[in-house]
Amino acid sequence: MRLTLSEFVTVEQLPTAPGRKTAIWDVLGRSTRLGEIRWFSRWRCYALFPPPGTLFNSDCLNVLAQFCARATKEHRA
């Protein structure tokens, strides 16, 4: 499944590995991979795992934060 979050950011759900309980999404910009959103068990929520050297402005971070909050809420339901 691929979702467009903004003009510059999309997320694509990766296939779930056998035995895995939570989803993983690739975060994609127009021309590059911006990171991964996956479950962070110590915080009990979905979080962004960006690779070194990535840069985000406040609009992009807000879009990604909203997506993480929504995914966490859906997982807990």
Side-chain angles (χ1 to χ4, degrees):
M1 171 175 36
R2 188 180 198 122
L3 300 171
T4 300
L5 302 182
S6 75
E7 180 181 352
F8 302 103
V9 179
T10 59
V11 292
E12 185 172 348
Q13 188 172 359
L14 300 176
T16 305
R20 184 169 186 87
K21 296 179 182 178
T22 58
I24 298 175
W25 289 275
D26 262 342
V27 180
L28 308 167
R30 283 186 170 171
S31 61
T32 188
R33 183 175 179 273
L34 300 174
E36 189 172 270
I37 292 177
R38 64 178 185 237
W39 188 256
F40 187 59
S41 59
R42 285 182 276 176
W43 292 349
R44 304 287 302 147
C45 66
Y46 279 95
L48 173 66
F49 291 79
T54 52
L55 181 66
F56 300 92
N57 68 15
S58 61
D59 293 334
C60 185
L61 289 172
N62 285 328
V63 166
L64 292 169
Q66 289 172 8
F67 178 80
C68 287
R70 187 171 62 245
T72 298
K73 186 177 179 179
E74 289 173 4
H75 174 72
R76 290 181 177 170

